[in-house]
Amino acid sequence: MSTTEILFYFLSALAVFSAIMVLVSKSPVHSVLWLIVVFFTISGHYVLLNAQFLAIVNLIVYAGAIMVLFLFVIMLMNLNTQTEPQKHIWMKLAGVISGGCFLMVLISLVRQAGDMQGKTALMKTGNIGLIGNLGKALFQDYVVPFEITSVLFLSAMVGAVVIGKK
Amino acid sequence: MPIQYYIYLCLVLFSIGIIGVLTRRNAIIVFMCVELMLNAVNLLLVAFSKMHHAAALTLNPAATTGIEGQLFVFFIMVVAAAEVSVGLAIIVMLYRNTHSVDINFLNRLKN
Amino acid sequence: MSKLVFLVPLFPLIGFLANGLGRRFLSKPAVSIIGCGAILASFVVSLVLFFDVKANGGGTSTLFNFISVDNFSIPFAFQVDQLSSLFLLIITGIGFLIHLYSSAYMHEEEPQHFGRYFAYLNLFVFSMLLLVMGANYVIMFIGWEGVGLCSYLLIGFWFKNTNYNYAAKKAFVMNRIGDLGFLLAVFWLIFRLGTVSYGDVFANVSKLSTADITAVTTLLFIGAMGKSAQIPLYTWLPDAMAGPTPVSALIHAATMVTAGIYMIARSNILYTLAPATQTLVAVTGLATAVFAATIALKQNDIKKVLAYSTVSQLGYMFLGLGAGAYTGAVFHVMTHAFFKALLFLGAGSVIHAMHHEQDIRKMGGLKKYLPITHITFLLACLAIAGIPPFSGFFSKDEILVAAYAKNPLFYYIGVAGALMTAFYMFRLYTLTFLGNFRGTHEQEHHLHESPWQMTFPLIVLAVLSVLGGFVGIPELFAANAHSLEHFLEPVFAGSNAVAEHHHPEASQEWLMLAGSTAAIVIVIVLAVRLYKNYQPKEETSAGLSKALENKWYVDELYDALIVNPLNALAGFLKNVVEKSGIDGIVNGAGRLVGYGSRQLRLLQSGQVGNYILVMVLAIVVFILIWFNDATITRFFSKIF
Amino acid sequence: MIPVLLILTPLVTGLVSLLLKQSETAKGWALLSSLVSLIIAIAGVFFYPKQQLVFDAAWLPDLGSRFALQMDGMGKMLCLLTAVSFPVIFLATYRNEYRNAGRFYALMLLTQAGLTGVFVATDALLFYFFWELALIPVYFLCSIWGGERRIPVTFKFFIYTFIGSLLMLIGILYVYFHTPDRSFAMHSFYRAVLDARMENFVFWLFFIAFAIKMPVFPFHTWQPDAYEQSPTAVTMVLSGVMVKMGIFAVIRWLLPVFPHASVHFADVVIVLSVIGILYASLIAIRQDDFKRLIAYSSIAHIGLMSAAIFAGKSAGLNGVMVQMFNHGINVIGLWIVADAIEQQLGTRKFSELGGLAQKAPALAVLLAVMAFANIALPLTNAFVGEFLMFNGLFQYNMWMAAVACISVILAAVYTLNMVQKVLYGSTGSITEQAGETAPNVQWALVLLAIGIMVLGVYPQPMINLTKDSVQAVLVNR
Amino acid sequence: MNAIIVSALLGVLMMFSGIWVKNRAAITNIAAAGLLLLVIANLLNTYGVWVIHVNTHGMLEFQQFGLFFNTIAFTATLLYVLLSGRDMERTGADTAEYYALVFFVLCGVSILTSFNGLLMLFLGIEILSIPLYILTGADKKNLRSNEASLKYFLMGCFSTGILLMGITLIYGATGNFSFGNSQPIPGTTMVSAPFLEVAGILLVFVSMAFKVSAAPFHFWTPDVYDGAPSVFTSFMATVVKAAGFIAFVRLFSMHTALMGPSWRIIVTFVIIATLLVGNITAVFQQSVKRMLAYSSIAQAGFMLFALYSDNDLAKEGILLYSIAYSLATIGIFAILIKMNDYTFDGFNGLAKTHPVLAAANTVFLLSLAGIPLTAGFFAKYYMLASAVKAGGSIWLVIIAVIFAAVSVYYYFRVIQAMYFKEGTPSVVPTGKSFHTLLIITAAAIILIGLFPSWVLNFLYF
């Protein structure tokens, strides 16, 4: 087993474990922290897949900006374990079961999917994930959607202002 | 790495996100679980992008196939950021009015 | 001739319109003049026609096309031949007399109702004329229903009385039951032959199978049962006595009820070809004759006795028809019209004098107060009892002889009925005219003979009752003496050609005549002796006598068997099936939607978690559906 | 041009009437308008006795639908019925006061336009349009000016018929996609090629719509309630003219379009109709309400018509044609009487009436005429129709005819019950102060009575008028 | 491209006009003028007179169908602004910002009518949705509004997640984001069943079904429509929803290979469920606004027929449906906003006090119910006709019309309240121009109901 494979398994295990911890943590702050761990593991996967740019962006945007925002809001609201509302056990069970069903159905699909047999994701090689290539593609072929996202941001901005101001 | 492994991993993460949405009452946590789902999608996209890239490389060593997947991830992150700003604004607004972020209390509108 | 034909029904129609529309403006004399005049005019035209027919034979004349669709047409046509011209004379003649009588009898009515009365009478004559003059079954049916309508109107003439209205309704509905049979017969004829004109039907009779003919004749006979009050549809006729007495004379004795006989005589060829139906007719007629006679034995209402006697006499006529003695039946129609009209008018005169008292137990000894009425009534009674040489003797004899030819048993039963007839008629006569007066003093004080408008018809009818029989003297007495038979020969030619006539031996016929006459005389004497010194007493009759007084409980039986179940069924349909059943399903569908709405909205719990749960499950289900589509398609293809 | 005028006249005058504020003006205007329509209709019938009056204009070219109108014999006859009914109705209800009379008469006239449209449209989609156009004003008329329970009752009526017409719409669409030239024109519909299974299926889509409108047992339960609760003028339209829409539609759209299915299901329909005849007649016997009695009696009569249509015999169809007109005027006559009595005495219960013959002899005579026409007494118009219809039914199946004929007796029972309880007997506390009705009512009734008599004695012109329509139906069978 | 650019710019303009213009009425007028400009710009684009050419690298594709829908959406918005624009002021102070958001939504609409590929679809949907989350919560002090906003937001994000997972799976299976025309990726061979793609398509379908509130993904609709300020409900329920449908139909008509039996089964299931939930639940509602929310679900059930039959008739029909449904719903909401009491009883006796409002409202309701002579009839007609034409689905059509009859029940409850019941409704004072506009709208509905060809010919011009 090569190093990359070991890393893959380790990161995957950590990601799944942390994701579960996000769910089961009583305290919202813990959840946020576990989520940040998930993001880190995913960034690790990106690195393994040689998508360095996305790895960095993921860390900066998600772990850095978004999660901090979350943390900030949670702190602001002073939410903690005691105030954390819990769902009824049956509701939880139903949620887990239906989520599990969803997972099972999809996985059984993938197992039958013939066109995925023998395909591999290229690891550590390939240069499409490099910032130069991405940048070229983004500003040539994808310039229209890129510009259009500005509208999205504008609307989010206006929205945040409308909602946020007293 | 065989692509199935990535698919399984991402589906597991995605489903954990769904389960989180279904089992938690705190609006912020629910929202975080949605983010988890998005990240699972992102990872899968990158994995697929690399898979297609690998396939393309066998024919053309200079192929850039697969790059659109990574760009898509980029756009998802952008959108996610925008959503977070709006979402948190809404949650804060609600908290200001009710001092609660419990979605089970959101039941003035029903039937 | 053809031009005159239309005048016959036209005059009564004009009379009807004039009296009906002008009843507010016309004075009573004007009304009576219009009413009687119209009928008199008709009578005169009828006479002309009669002699024309006698000289030249009958004919058909078409007025216009009544209904014509592509595969058949019904002309509005009149046929005047021997049979119808005879009936025309009876109808207009007796009709005129009764109109005249009515002008006095109904004098107490308010002008408006007086006008209404004459309008109805004229309309009745009009309808009856249509009935007998129509050249096809549909025109006959028009008259057929028309007389039913007039009967309804006249029975319920005093409409304030609820019982009279019930009687009227009963008459109409029972007539309608018969009409249904008539209608179906007409449909059958159209279906098989595509025509309803007498000429065409009788000419094409060979195209019909025996089953067809039997069915058609049976259905027609059902029509006749209704109109001519035969078992089982007779019960309306006694109740019809609710109408004014002249009406009873005209409609329920002389004319309308004979429509059934006319119709069968008209269709004689069909009946001759359907022996099964003939037997049915004969048996029904005989049964009715005897059955009604038994009831008449114990009735105390003067008009009721006469009514049952009418039913009974009609039974004889049907017996004659069933036995193939069409001429005899028509002959009896004629003589019966004379003496029964006379009886009813006489009864009317009595009732008039007694101030609307109809119970014979409270009469008696009227002989001296009402001499003309008495004499004429007695003559009529002798006629109906069948004493030679009064008219009833000849006609009844002809029927009974024919019945004997068909089946001797018919004859004996018929004679038994005749004896009963003689008995109840003379019971009636005795109780009314002989003995002592049993009414109140006030009534006695006011007793007086009726005015000339009433007595004149009585006299004329009495003459006819006495002499009317001589047009049909049996061959027994003299060869070719039966002038009526010869006159009607063309009408029954077809039947006579088909059917073999057995005439009993002359000696046997003599024996039969003598025997029955003797028996009748004995019965008359018995009746007179029995009731001459009758005193009313409080008696509770029992057994047979009670059953007779209550008319064999037939009305009650009908109520229990038909009317009440039907009412119950209607009530059940109205209150249960309609409300809870059909409407219930419709409203139930509405309620189901409402219920579904209330339940379904609970799904909208307001909980985001639940919403997403449903979504996730739906996704799972969709994926399962997608990958098992073959199974599901098969499942659905089985359902639809 | 005449069919267009017949539609436009009430439509335009109706819209104008919306603006009229004065009750008297509105009444006069409506009467005037209906008389103009009558004149046009008479002109159409008598000046062009042989021609089929045709009008054709582009309407929805993309959909294969045209504004195509045509008056053949049946169309003329029914247009005439519509045109005759409305003046009579307006005349008879001239003294009834309505809130917002302008709107009332506007809606009435719109109904007239819709009805006329139904009878002349030869384009399926246009037909559907008019079908609904006739319904909607009626909904408002009943709901605004109706009786106590008007809202739920009218609503039931509306939804019931609406479901029916939507089903018909599906049927129309289905046939449309199977016409040879993708067109809604009547003649294309007649040539549509459907496979047997689907023909049998789509047949029912049409039939249910028409059955609800007629109504045929067991689709009738909206009707007695609706008749009872509607303002009488509307009830007259409903029962006099609107039920004819269903019958008309069966003859015009059902039999020719589904020739095999209509033969295949003839037995079913006839049995339903016959059951309906007896069922309604029996219920009518037990009714205590004047309006409900007429309603059930009407169901029975309509049942006979539907049976006769499906029997598919020339005589029966001719009878149906004649009877459509005759039933129209007869039942309007009955409603007028019922309304006159209710307006005057405030009750329709037989148990509270009685003795009116003493108080109102003229009304009594006229009611009697209507009643006897209702039981199809010979020499009234209804006899001709019923005679021919029974005849057709008899030729189809004599047992069904025999059973249906029982209604002749039952009709006599309930009608005479009605006559007796209204007119005869002694007066009660309510009928004590009754008097003769207003002249306008009497005149309307007299006109109808004359019509009843004339058509009863001389029905042949009416038969001749609709003869070719019958032939057209039979040819297609 | 005109529409996207102009609407985005107008959004920015409105953003700034909030700072410069203090007169609220003026802001509404600016917005109206902007919309007019937008309509004109789009029309110019439609007829090729003046088009801003941008190399989109195949990301966007402008077809008549989409452009025509743009015109419909913009015109409907214009009508909406004219009828209800002034009522925004009653919701909150930030009128200019609301308009900016509306324009951004329209930008999203224009993207959704011209996307070519899943990336633009995703962006379009997000640009459409994010402003709506805000508008739903615009009434900041109102807890119902807050709740609706948060519910909408959470569920919207969740559905975005589903959508993205679907897109990803499709991408994994096909190697590109151009839905439908899946060319085999070089170097690979298509082996066996594309299970992954199918799963992806299903997830995309579910997410789109969520956006157009098809059952069983409709749950957000009643709560959000009910909780949102009525002014914005009107906009959301009409323009936005119709745009969702256009995107839906566009997306799935790209992928013609989908038309297998299982696809039909699922769409049938969704249609029936939508009709059932929408119509049946609406019956028992007490609030007209909530009833309209359910009715919008029910109408969605009919619009889904376009997806089911997927033929030309269906495409024409969905346009006509958008027009008819938008006109009527905007009209009804315009009136509803003027009412102080949203329950059915609040409408009692409206015909007496406000005959014009009542009459116009009646026309709108009749149109929604699909009564002939109104635009709504032809809308439904096209949907049913397309399904009949597609064949094999007559039972589905029958079920649909039965539910249409049920819909009459609740629409007519309003008519009954207005015309047949007594009461004194309390209504915000309305102006002449408002009445005139209502009458024009009602007249337009009737005209389209009489001559739908006019509108359709416009399309084929």
Side-chain angles (χ1 to χ4, degrees), chain B residues 41 52 83 97 106 108 111, chain E residues 126 140 146-147 171 290:
Chain B
V41 168
H52 292 310
E83 271 188 355
N97 286 337
L106 301 179
R108 279 170 208 85
N111 294 334
Chain E
E126 286 306 312
K140 284 179 286 185
N146 292 350
E147 177 184 336
Y171 173 65
R290 204 168 169 83

Side-chain angles (χ1 to χ4, degrees), chain D residues 70-389:
Chain D
Q70 177 200 321
M71 275 167 87
D72 62 347
M74 177 166 57
K76 278 181 196 160
M77 186 267 288
L78 285 167
C79 286
L80 190 65
L81 171 66
T82 317
V84 167
S85 303
F86 276 84
V88 171
I89 292 168
F90 289 146
L91 179 65
T93 57
Y94 202 81
R95 306 227 167 171
N96 296 11
E97 285 303 329
Y98 301 103
R99 287 178 290 122
N100 297 327
R103 286 192 210 161
F104 180 85
Y105 287 103
L107 289 168
M108 286 291 279
L109 291 170
L110 286 183
T111 313
Q112 187 185 3
L115 287 166
T116 314
V118 167
F119 297 139
V120 297
T122 52
D123 182 284
L125 199 59
L126 189 65
F127 165 75
Y128 179 81
F129 257 60
F130 282 121
W131 182 271
E132 295 288 328
L133 178 64
L135 173 64
I136 290 162
V138 167
Y139 171 71
F140 282 94
L141 282 168
C142 300
S143 295
I144 298 177
W145 289 278
E148 229 166 87
R149 296 191 300 123
R150 61 185 190 275
I151 295 177
V153 162
T154 316
F155 202 43
K156 177 165 144 191
F157 157 59
F158 184 82
I159 290 202
Y160 214 144
T161 42
F162 190 63
I163 290 181
S165 43
L166 280 175
L167 291 178
M168 174 173 75
L169 180 64
I170 300 175
I172 289 177
L173 282 172
Y174 190 87
V175 178
Y176 164 71
F177 283 115
H178 290 80
T179 50
D181 53 350
R182 281 289 162 91
S183 144
F184 282 103
M186 185 172 80
H187 295 290
S188 306
F189 264 51
Y190 287 4
R191 292 202 310 271
V193 186
L194 307 172
D195 69 78
R197 210 182 119 256
M198 283 317 286
E199 182 178 338
N200 288 346
F201 184 79
V202 180
F203 169 85
W204 285 102
L205 295 180
F206 275 77
F207 178 72
I208 288 176
F210 302 152
I212 290 172
K213 205 79 167 192
M214 286 201 263
V216 171
F217 176 88
F219 301 105
H220 64 275
T221 50
W222 61 268
Q223 200 214 35
D225 285 342
Y227 283 8
E228 187 188 350
Q229 295 296 326
S230 305
T232 315
V234 182
T235 312
M236 292 176 203
V237 177
L238 273 176
S239 60
V241 191
M242 201 169 255
V243 295
K244 309 303 178 302
M245 274 165 62
I247 297 158
F248 165 85
V250 168
I251 297 175
R252 170 67 39 93
W253 294 102
L254 196 66
L255 298 189
V257 179
F258 307 102
H260 307 107
S262 51
V263 173
H264 189 235
F265 290 119
D267 281 336
V268 181
V269 176
I270 293 176
V271 166
L272 276 184
S273 308
V274 171
I275 292 175
I277 296 170
L278 297 183
Y279 178 83
S281 305
L282 280 171
I283 290 183
I285 292 177
R286 293 293 292 256
Q287 284 303 335
D288 191 40
D289 184 304
F290 205 148
K291 282 187 157 188
R292 290 184 83 85
L293 180 122
I294 305 175
Y296 279 104
S297 143
S298 185
I299 293 174
H301 286 124
I302 298 293
L304 178 56
M305 291 190 217
S306 107
I309 292 172
F310 279 89
K313 300 286 185 247
S314 162
L317 281 164
N318 273 308
V320 173
M321 298 283 179
V322 178
Q323 186 69 350
M324 275 200 265
F325 192 91
N326 294 340
H327 176 257
I329 61 175
N330 295 355
V331 84
I332 288 175
L334 282 174
W335 287 120
I336 292 175
V337 176
D339 184 49
I341 291 173
E342 195 187 359
Q343 292 287 333
Q344 199 184 54
L345 302 175
T347 179
R348 305 190 296 257
K349 295 253 173 287
F350 292 139
S351 45
E352 295 170 6
L353 292 170
L356 278 185
Q358 302 162 45
K359 296 286 175 183
L363 184 70
V365 170
L366 290 164
L367 171 60
V369 172
M370 302 300 159
F372 286 117
N374 196 43
I375 57 179
L377 204 75
L379 295 190
T380 63
N381 54 3
F383 169 72
V384 183
E386 291 208 0
F387 179 80
L388 288 171
M389 288 192 291

Side-chain angles (χ1 to χ4, degrees), chain C residues 30-343:
Chain C
V31 167
S32 9
I33 288 168
I34 292 172
C36 302
I39 308 302
L40 186 60
S42 258
F43 177 67
V44 172
V45 178
S46 301
L47 261 182
V48 174
L49 285 176
F50 177 78
F51 287 114
D52 187 53
V53 167
K54 202 166 181 196
N56 307 325
T60 314
S61 50
T62 304
L63 198 54
F64 57 89
N65 228 357
F66 180 49
I67 298 175
S68 167
V69 297
D70 51 331
N71 49 9
F72 73 96
S73 77
I74 301 165
F76 206 106
F78 293 141
Q79 176 171 354
V80 177
D81 60 0
Q82 290 79 0
L83 186 60
S84 46
S85 64
L86 185 67
F87 268 83
L88 285 186
L89 284 183
I90 299 174
I91 294 159
T92 51
I94 295 182
F96 168 68
L97 292 175
I98 290 172
H99 273 69
L100 185 63
Y101 180 92
S102 297
S103 65
Y105 187 83
M106 300 299 285
H107 210 73
E108 292 161 25
E109 294 292 326
E110 290 168 29
Q112 182 188 332
H113 295 302
F114 192 74
R116 189 160 64 89
Y117 174 82
F118 272 92
Y120 289 166
L121 273 191
N122 281 346
L123 180 64
F124 168 76
V125 172
F126 168 72
S127 305
M128 195 65 205
L129 290 174
L130 276 190
L131 195 160
V132 297
M133 289 174 73
N136 57 53
Y137 282 105
V138 174
I139 305 299
M140 185 198 270
F141 185 73
I142 294 174
W144 191 266
E145 287 260 283
V147 293
L149 167 73
C150 296
S151 158
Y152 167 79
L153 292 171
L154 285 166
I155 295 170
F157 180 75
W158 288 303
F159 52 70
K160 282 183 205 169
N161 186 324
T162 312
N163 285 335
Y164 291 1
N165 291 321
Y166 279 118
K169 199 174 80 187
K170 185 175 177 184
F172 194 86
V173 171
M174 285 211 143
N175 267 306
R176 271 247 149 170
I177 297 173
D179 295 350
L180 173 59
F182 194 122
L183 257 187
L184 288 172
V186 172
F187 296 149
W188 203 305
L189 283 175
I190 293 175
F191 184 37
R192 289 284 182 234
L193 297 177
T195 178
V196 286
S197 292
Y198 301 140
D200 296 339
V201 170
F202 301 151
N204 293 316
V205 85
S206 55
K207 288 186 191 159
L208 294 169
S209 68
T210 313
D212 282 338
I213 297 180
T214 310
V216 168
T217 47
T218 311
L219 288 169
L220 282 176
F221 178 54
I222 292 174
M225 280 177 186
K227 197 106 305 178
S228 299
Q230 294 301 290
I231 290 175
L233 300 178
Y234 72 91
T235 55
W236 66 270
L237 184 59
D239 290 359
M241 297 305 132
T245 310
V247 170
S248 305
L250 179 59
I251 300 187
H252 305 123
T255 52
M256 173 178 128
V257 290
T258 61
I261 289 94
Y262 170 77
M263 186 256 283
I264 292 182
R266 175 58 81 194
S267 325
N268 61 80
I269 181 73
L270 294 174
Y271 280 85
T272 309
L273 290 173
T277 321
Q278 268 196 317
T279 311
L280 177 70
V281 173
V283 170
T284 311
L286 190 61
T288 311
V290 178
F291 188 77
T294 56
I295 297 174
L297 290 175
K298 292 293 281 182
Q299 295 303 312
N300 293 322
D301 183 318
I302 184 166
K303 286 175 77 179
K304 281 272 162 74
V305 177
L306 292 177
Y308 280 105
S309 127
T310 306
V311 176
S312 173
Q313 295 303 313
L314 289 167
Y316 280 112
M317 295 177 209
F318 278 99
L319 175 63
L321 292 172
Y326 301 112
T327 316
V330 172
F331 186 24
H332 198 54
V333 166
M334 190 180 92
T335 56
H336 177 253
F338 298 150
F339 59 67
K340 189 50 68 66
L342 175 54
L343 283 171

